[in-house]
Amino acid sequence: MSTKDNPSNSNGKFLNPTPILDDLEKGPWPSFLTGFKKLAERTKKTMIRGVLDQLEYSYKTKMGYWKGGLVSVVGYGAGIITRYSLIQDKIPEAKEFHTMRLQPPPGLHYNTKMLRELCDIWEKHGSGIVCMHGQTGDLMLQGVPEQNVQECFDELNRKGWDLGGAGASVRTGASCVGPARCDDSCYDTLKVHYEVLKHFTGLVHRPEFPYKLKFKFAGCPNDCVNSIMRSDIAFIGTFRDAIKVDNAEVKNWVQKNGMDSLVNNVINRCPTKAITLKGEGIEIEDKDCVRCMHCINVMSKALSIGSDKGLSLLMGGKSHLKVGSMLGSMIVPFVKAETDEDIENLIELLERIIEWWDDNAFDHERLGETIERVSLKEFLKGVELEPDINMVNTPRDNPYFKAEF
Ligand code: SF4
Ligand code: SF4
């Protein structure tokens, strides 16, 4: 099917009038509609015009008109989000507008050659609309008719791209830029992301679980990929030894920013009150520090992460559905991720966790929901992990509660 087969309408213009959408462009923020219109005018793709017409109609009637279905490529069962129009008789140009999810490289490191190749292939087969990146972390190619999907995928795949996850599968992973550019990174996010996703790639392409399962990789507790909220299994870098304090730099910082700022913006904002003034410098009580990163972020020259680095595994983060939004809970407080053997051990643990979840979860139940339903105790037994005091959610919350571990 050509996506460019009807250059102009009866008014001699390419785009049809869309007064409601035009109104949306008047606000202070950049509008995606302006981009859609520019792209449609430049490429003369009729499917984009159809989508604009359908959106205008949706706003007018206050109804959405997209429905799902199943579109796939040979050997895969996931990676394409299907959009068929319910009003194809009214607006045939928008009858199909499927999205291909592509896996981004770890840390989102692209080179311009790959991006140019991607755009050329995508403009040839699809709408040309690219979203970087969707909430799942994927690079989204939005708007392709079903009959172009296989050829488009084959060409992309020959250039090194692969489809991401969708449905009840392991989903596309996301990692922060990590050691490539960030001093705070406590492990190689790029390598661990690559190895984990390579290992589970079959499960990304073929949905076989009760529901979705997401991994995200953050190099430190700043969690720039939002892994604690947005992934079932969050790999968050941390360190076991003390924060390194360079008191000469603390003094320079105070000269520049003032003692008030040291007291009010650093010391008083430490969540565990682990920092005290000492002479012209500071002292950090290591056993009280929870590695929240606040002081390091503020005084990045004077304070830095320790040397005994690794990562924590938190599980159960997710958005809405059965029991509402959840943050990940601490399951493995510290594990090294430096050698190939460390990473293999991590992958073995992940396999046990996924197997346990697959055996125990109800339909449409995320990992955290299953743990909550059957209890942390049963989960730990099932995946052969020892209980740890760091797993306690709210210490000293109830003095009558005795853990049964
Ligand atoms: Fe740097 Fe930490 Fe953010 Fe990763 S999560 S980019 S290591 S600050
Ligand atoms: Fe306090 Fe956080 Fe700094 Fe630790 S990292 S000393 S908890 S502000």
PDB file of all heavy atoms in Angstrom, residues 250 254 259 262-263 267 275-283:
ATOM      1  N   VAL A 250      35.383  21.254  50.182  1.00  0.00           N
ATOM      2  CA  VAL A 250      34.232  21.729  50.984  1.00  0.00           C
ATOM      3  C   VAL A 250      34.464  23.198  51.321  1.00  0.00           C
ATOM      4  O   VAL A 250      33.564  24.045  51.206  1.00  0.00           O
ATOM      5  CB  VAL A 250      34.066  20.889  52.285  1.00  0.00           C
ATOM      6  CG1 VAL A 250      32.989  21.506  53.185  1.00  0.00           C
ATOM      7  CG2 VAL A 250      33.705  19.438  51.955  1.00  0.00           C
ATOM      8  N   VAL A 254      32.185  26.399  50.383  1.00  0.00           N
ATOM      9  CA  VAL A 254      31.612  27.319  51.368  1.00  0.00           C
ATOM     10  C   VAL A 254      31.986  28.758  51.014  1.00  0.00           C
ATOM     11  O   VAL A 254      31.161  29.678  51.110  1.00  0.00           O
ATOM     12  CB  VAL A 254      32.072  26.950  52.799  1.00  0.00           C
ATOM     13  CG1 VAL A 254      31.650  28.026  53.804  1.00  0.00           C
ATOM     14  CG2 VAL A 254      31.493  25.602  53.220  1.00  0.00           C
ATOM     15  N   MET A 259      28.253  29.699  54.265  1.00  0.00           N
ATOM     16  CA  MET A 259      28.004  28.706  55.320  1.00  0.00           C
ATOM     17  C   MET A 259      26.514  28.420  55.468  1.00  0.00           C
ATOM     18  O   MET A 259      26.108  27.298  55.726  1.00  0.00           O
ATOM     19  CB  MET A 259      28.611  29.239  56.640  1.00  0.00           C
ATOM     20  CG  MET A 259      28.549  28.264  57.778  1.00  0.00           C
ATOM     21  SD  MET A 259      29.221  26.635  57.386  1.00  0.00           S
ATOM     22  CE  MET A 259      30.948  26.863  57.705  1.00  0.00           C
ATOM     23  N   LEU A 262      25.556  25.777  53.148  1.00  0.00           N
ATOM     24  CA  LEU A 262      26.032  24.455  53.576  1.00  0.00           C
ATOM     25  C   LEU A 262      25.082  23.877  54.636  1.00  0.00           C
ATOM     26  O   LEU A 262      24.682  22.717  54.569  1.00  0.00           O
ATOM     27  CB  LEU A 262      27.462  24.549  54.146  1.00  0.00           C
ATOM     28  CG  LEU A 262      28.038  23.220  54.643  1.00  0.00           C
ATOM     29  CD1 LEU A 262      28.283  22.253  53.488  1.00  0.00           C
ATOM     30  CD2 LEU A 262      29.342  23.427  55.409  1.00  0.00           C
ATOM     31  N   VAL A 263      24.698  24.741  55.583  1.00  0.00           N
ATOM     32  CA  VAL A 263      23.839  24.261  56.671  1.00  0.00           C
ATOM     33  C   VAL A 263      22.423  23.968  56.149  1.00  0.00           C
ATOM     34  O   VAL A 263      21.863  22.891  56.372  1.00  0.00           O
ATOM     35  CB  VAL A 263      23.799  25.291  57.832  1.00  0.00           C
ATOM     36  CG1 VAL A 263      22.767  24.883  58.881  1.00  0.00           C
ATOM     37  CG2 VAL A 263      25.188  25.410  58.463  1.00  0.00           C
ATOM     38  N   ILE A 267      23.417  20.124  54.953  1.00  0.00           N
ATOM     39  CA  ILE A 267      23.347  19.406  56.236  1.00  0.00           C
ATOM     40  C   ILE A 267      21.893  19.174  56.679  1.00  0.00           C
ATOM     41  O   ILE A 267      21.498  18.054  56.991  1.00  0.00           O
ATOM     42  CB  ILE A 267      24.137  20.184  57.312  1.00  0.00           C
ATOM     43  CG1 ILE A 267      25.618  20.199  56.905  1.00  0.00           C
ATOM     44  CG2 ILE A 267      23.945  19.581  58.696  1.00  0.00           C
ATOM     45  CD1 ILE A 267      26.526  21.007  57.801  1.00  0.00           C
ATOM     46  N   ILE A 275      25.167  14.167  58.489  1.00  0.00           N
ATOM     47  CA  ILE A 275      26.278  15.098  58.247  1.00  0.00           C
ATOM     48  C   ILE A 275      26.394  16.094  59.412  1.00  0.00           C
ATOM     49  O   ILE A 275      25.394  16.649  59.860  1.00  0.00           O
ATOM     50  CB  ILE A 275      26.056  15.898  56.941  1.00  0.00           C
ATOM     51  CG1 ILE A 275      25.664  14.954  55.795  1.00  0.00           C
ATOM     52  CG2 ILE A 275      27.300  16.698  56.563  1.00  0.00           C
ATOM     53  CD1 ILE A 275      25.272  15.652  54.513  1.00  0.00           C
ATOM     54  N   THR A 276      27.646  16.317  59.873  1.00  0.00           N
ATOM     55  CA  THR A 276      27.852  17.359  60.889  1.00  0.00           C
ATOM     56  C   THR A 276      29.007  18.260  60.456  1.00  0.00           C
ATOM     57  O   THR A 276      29.868  17.849  59.671  1.00  0.00           O
ATOM     58  CB  THR A 276      28.207  16.740  62.269  1.00  0.00           C
ATOM     59  OG1 THR A 276      29.190  15.736  62.073  1.00  0.00           O
ATOM     60  CG2 THR A 276      27.017  16.165  62.972  1.00  0.00           C
ATOM     61  N   LEU A 277      28.980  19.470  60.986  1.00  0.00           N
ATOM     62  CA  LEU A 277      30.088  20.399  60.733  1.00  0.00           C
ATOM     63  C   LEU A 277      31.271  19.974  61.577  1.00  0.00           C
ATOM     64  O   LEU A 277      31.111  19.590  62.740  1.00  0.00           O
ATOM     65  CB  LEU A 277      29.687  21.815  61.160  1.00  0.00           C
ATOM     66  CG  LEU A 277      28.895  22.650  60.172  1.00  0.00           C
ATOM     67  CD1 LEU A 277      28.468  23.946  60.844  1.00  0.00           C
ATOM     68  CD2 LEU A 277      29.722  22.938  58.929  1.00  0.00           C
ATOM     69  N   LYS A 278      32.453  20.039  60.978  1.00  0.00           N
ATOM     70  CA  LYS A 278      33.641  19.727  61.784  1.00  0.00           C
ATOM     71  C   LYS A 278      34.733  20.703  61.359  1.00  0.00           C
ATOM     72  O   LYS A 278      35.233  20.598  60.235  1.00  0.00           O
ATOM     73  CB  LYS A 278      34.072  18.290  61.549  1.00  0.00           C
ATOM     74  CG  LYS A 278      35.114  17.883  62.572  1.00  0.00           C
ATOM     75  CD  LYS A 278      35.466  16.439  62.452  1.00  0.00           C
ATOM     76  CE  LYS A 278      36.516  16.118  63.490  1.00  0.00           C
ATOM     77  NZ  LYS A 278      37.358  15.027  63.096  1.00  0.00           N
ATOM     78  N   GLY A 279      35.066  21.635  62.243  1.00  0.00           N
ATOM     79  CA  GLY A 279      36.040  22.666  61.894  1.00  0.00           C
ATOM     80  C   GLY A 279      35.542  23.431  60.686  1.00  0.00           C
ATOM     81  O   GLY A 279      34.397  23.883  60.629  1.00  0.00           O
ATOM     82  N   GLU A 280      36.379  23.498  59.638  1.00  0.00           N
ATOM     83  CA  GLU A 280      35.949  24.197  58.420  1.00  0.00           C
ATOM     84  C   GLU A 280      35.377  23.233  57.390  1.00  0.00           C
ATOM     85  O   GLU A 280      35.099  23.603  56.257  1.00  0.00           O
ATOM     86  CB  GLU A 280      37.146  24.948  57.832  1.00  0.00           C
ATOM     87  CG  GLU A 280      37.568  26.116  58.707  1.00  0.00           C
ATOM     88  CD  GLU A 280      38.586  26.983  57.993  1.00  0.00           C
ATOM     89  OE1 GLU A 280      39.562  26.420  57.454  1.00  0.00           O
ATOM     90  OE2 GLU A 280      38.387  28.198  57.965  1.00  0.00           O
ATOM     91  N   GLY A 281      35.262  21.994  57.793  1.00  0.00           N
ATOM     92  CA  GLY A 281      34.748  20.994  56.854  1.00  0.00           C
ATOM     93  C   GLY A 281      33.531  20.276  57.407  1.00  0.00           C
ATOM     94  O   GLY A 281      32.829  20.792  58.284  1.00  0.00           O
ATOM     95  N   ILE A 282      33.273  19.091  56.867  1.00  0.00           N
ATOM     96  CA  ILE A 282      32.129  18.303  57.354  1.00  0.00           C
ATOM     97  C   ILE A 282      32.578  16.876  57.639  1.00  0.00           C
ATOM     98  O   ILE A 282      33.627  16.428  57.167  1.00  0.00           O
ATOM     99  CB  ILE A 282      30.969  18.264  56.320  1.00  0.00           C
ATOM    100  CG1 ILE A 282      31.454  17.682  54.984  1.00  0.00           C
ATOM    101  CG2 ILE A 282      30.346  19.608  56.138  1.00  0.00           C
ATOM    102  CD1 ILE A 282      30.334  17.394  54.013  1.00  0.00           C
ATOM    103  N   GLU A 283      31.729  16.183  58.398  1.00  0.00           N
ATOM    104  CA  GLU A 283      31.985  14.775  58.668  1.00  0.00           C
ATOM    105  C   GLU A 283      30.677  14.027  58.398  1.00  0.00           C
ATOM    106  O   GLU A 283      29.602  14.525  58.734  1.00  0.00           O
ATOM    107  CB  GLU A 283      32.388  14.626  60.136  1.00  0.00           C
ATOM    108  CG  GLU A 283      33.007  13.281  60.447  1.00  0.00           C
ATOM    109  CD  GLU A 283      33.539  13.282  61.885  1.00  0.00           C
ATOM    110  OE1 GLU A 283      32.725  13.376  62.822  1.00  0.00           O
ATOM    111  OE2 GLU A 283      34.772  13.205  62.044  1.00  0.00           O
TER     112      GLU A 283
END
